[in-house]
Amino acid sequence: MKKMLYDSRSGDWRKALRAVDGMKKLPGWLIDQKSYCMAITACGRGGQWEQAVRLLREMPTEGAAPDLSAYSAVIDACAKGGQWKMAVFFLMEMPTKGIAPDARSYGAAINACARGGRWKIALDLLREMLARDVTPNVIIYNSAINSCAKAGQWEIAVSLVKEMATVGLAPDVISYSSAISACGRGGRWEEALELFEDMRTSGVAPDVITYGSAIAACANGGRWKEAVSLLRKIPTVGLTPNVISYSSVITACAKEGQWKIALDLLREMKAMRLAPNIITYNAAIDACAKGGRWKEAIDLLREMPTVGLPPDVVSYSSVIDACSKGDRWKEAIDILREMPTVGLSPNAISYNSAIDACAKGGQWKEAKGLLREMPTAGVTQRVIGYNSAIAACAKGEQWKEALALLREMPTVGLHTTVFSYSSAIDACGKGNLWIKAKELLREMATVGLAPNEVCYNSAIDACGRGDQWEEAVDLLREMPTVGLSPDVFSYSSAIAACAKGDQWKEALAVLKEMSAAGLAPDLICYNSAIDACSKGGRWKMAVALLGEMRAAGLTPNIISYSSAIDACVRGGQWKEGIALLEEMRGSGVVPDVITYHALMVTCAKYD
């Protein structure tokens, strides 16, 4: 029986229980503490924590009082079974039985808490150990560091690594790797790299897992160059990069839209006979999506089955997103429709990306149709989907549809956002409904939303389209009073409104305000100001603005020259107009028919 029990220690818990039962049946045989400990250990290694607890409770009835080894074994069994509460319970019970927990007992309980995501309790137990003069070992510290890492408590994880030296312990590769991982999860890539360097200067050689943790930290921080650099260092220290290493670097490249490097790394993996997994491919597709490379994204999707990797919902959703960013709404819908044919159900991300693609393509009917389809497909409609549909309606100049969707959102339990309103305001502007646009801007405060620059810009543009230059200028000047800084678009929209309202003085005043605010007028601002001067018969100012444009490093285009020439025509200055025409052609700008006609009429009039 003893040999049978001894042989069961590897985790054959059934053999251990049979041995214990057999020993009970032997006449006059008493099971000693050591035998129970071996059986409890076997149950723990076999994942049978309940059986381990039963054996511990049975010991007193068989004349074997539970000792330090028995409690430590049962705490370890609870840890392996994911029972952190039971592990802590038995640790706390030990002093009540006159047993002082040792490093093994505490270590098992801390490990249980680490596995159960209870980093605070793990830390408390570590502190309790030190207070009771029980010396932790490296493994115990590593468990505590790992628990903090999983919880994103990077500062505590790093402090524990530094604390180890104060208790006479040298952090090992696991200590550093866990702390580096913690920094990565906390978005602290600089601290991760600092630890990485500290590790090497301390004489601890990083392994592939350490490099992977450091690369992941750089990936989370959007530092693709540092991630690539670390990957290149791996072979120089005698290690071989693995799939995880490459996948992490490709993810880093994806976050920054470095699609070329991501694809190069994917091809490099194959050359090294490393088999990319679905995470690798999805990261590469995501890189293509962020770079607007829809063709490459689709090619990767088609390649996946050929290497034994069926694409998943993430793969398809990323490709749809790539099509959206590449302004390929038809392809986005095609990919969405393909998903059910390969046994995949589109999720909210899939639909929202497709709706966004339709929005960018101005396909409001398709966008709205997809939004309506979502509930029937068992997909919950989300704010982002409605916002994209409203934007699609705005681009398609369907203000009624945009407003209807905006009003519908609260009825389906969705909160409108600033983007919802800005798109609806834009739709009203394109529909020449400046009053409604302004009403929506004012309405935002009543629903607890603060308009941003985009909302004001859309409202200013709406007023300009509706020939309401005063309203446009008023909104522009209102922005700083609500804590917003007008941008170039704000000013250009207001200047365009003044031009449309034949208000050259106001247009120039706004242009001057813009420069005073530290903003450089762009081509559109100057063109609108020249147009305003043209309509006001101020040909000298129009020509002066043209010169000012060049001095500011801007190249006048056909609109700039045509407006300035028109100003000269209106002012009867045919010679100046012809001079501008020659200058226009000399700068490589081809005059259009309207420009020639205007000059011909003027020349004939003053001939």
Side-chain angles (χ1 to χ4, degrees), residues 528-543:
S528 295
I530 294 170
D531 182 45
C533 292
S534 172
K535 291 176 179 176
R538 316 304 293 188
W539 68 274
K540 288 184 179 180
M541 289 183 179
V543 174

Side-chain angles (χ1 to χ4, degrees), residues 303-345:
E303 182 182 304
M304 289 177 73
T306 67
V307 294
L309 293 173
D312 60 9
V313 174
V314 175
S315 316
Y316 273 94
S317 297
S318 293
V319 171
I320 295 170
D321 183 46
C323 294
S324 171
K325 288 182 170 65
D327 296 326
R328 310 296 297 189
W329 66 271
K330 287 184 179 178
E331 286 80 358
I333 292 179
D334 287 343
I335 296 295
L336 182 74
R337 297 302 180 214
E338 182 183 308
M339 291 179 73
T341 68
V342 294
L344 295 174
S345 300

Side-chain angles (χ1 to χ4, degrees), residues 342-425:
V342 294
L344 295 174
S345 300
N347 61 14
I349 296 173
S350 316
Y351 271 103
N352 291 338
S353 296
I355 293 170
D356 185 56
C358 294
K360 289 177 179 176
Q363 304 298 315
W364 67 273
K365 287 184 179 178
E366 286 76 6
K368 188 177 176 182
L370 289 173
L371 184 70
R372 297 289 181 240
E373 180 185 305
M374 290 175 73
T376 60
V379 180
T380 304
Q381 294 169 321
R382 295 182 180 177
V383 171
I384 188 172
Y386 268 91
N387 285 352
S388 294
I390 294 170
C393 293
K395 194 165 185 179
E397 300 184 1
Q398 300 295 318
W399 65 269
K400 288 184 179 179
E401 296 289 343
L403 285 181
L405 288 172
L406 181 73
R407 300 306 181 205
E408 183 181 304
M409 289 179 72
T411 68
V412 294
L414 297 175
H415 294 290
T416 51
T417 66
V418 172
F419 188 87
S420 315
Y421 272 92
S422 64
S423 296
I425 292 169

Side-chain angles (χ1 to χ4, degrees), residues 139-155:
I139 295 172
I140 291 172
Y141 263 97
N142 287 349
S143 293
I145 294 168
N146 187 43
S147 68
C148 293
K150 289 180 179 178
Q153 300 295 320
W154 68 272
E155 290 176 297

Side-chain angles (χ1 to χ4, degrees), residues 97-245:
K97 304 294 184 181
I99 304 170
D102 63 357
R104 183 191 170 192
S105 315
Y106 274 108
I110 290 171
N111 181 40
C113 293
R115 291 186 176 196
R118 302 292 164 168
W119 67 273
K120 287 184 179 180
I121 299 174
L123 205 59
D124 288 343
L125 291 176
L126 180 64
R127 298 295 171 232
E128 184 181 301
M129 280 185 76
L130 295 168
R132 293 187 176 182
D133 291 326
V134 180
T135 305
N137 57 27
V138 173
I139 295 172
I140 291 172
Y141 263 97
N142 287 349
S143 293
I145 294 168
N146 187 43
S147 68
C148 293
K150 289 180 179 178
Q153 300 295 320
W154 68 272
E155 290 176 297
I156 299 174
V158 172
S159 70
L160 287 173
V161 172
K162 294 177 179 177
E163 181 186 302
M164 290 176 74
T166 66
V167 294
L169 297 173
D172 62 8
V173 65
I174 297 173
S175 318
Y176 279 107
S177 298
S178 296
I180 291 169
S181 176
C183 292
R185 293 186 184 191
R188 313 297 297 192
W189 66 273
E190 290 176 302
E191 286 80 358
L193 293 187
E194 283 177 13
L195 270 178
F196 188 80
E197 288 305 315
D198 289 346
M199 179 181 185
R200 298 203 298 176
T201 57
S202 298
V204 181
D207 60 11
V208 174
I209 295 173
T210 315
Y211 273 99
S213 297
I215 289 170
C218 293
N220 289 336
R223 310 298 297 188
W224 67 272
K225 288 183 180 178
E226 288 82 356
V228 172
S229 176
L230 284 169
L231 181 71
R232 297 307 178 210
K233 285 179 182 176
I234 296 177
T236 67
V237 294
L239 298 172
T240 303
N242 57 22
V243 174
I244 296 174
S245 311

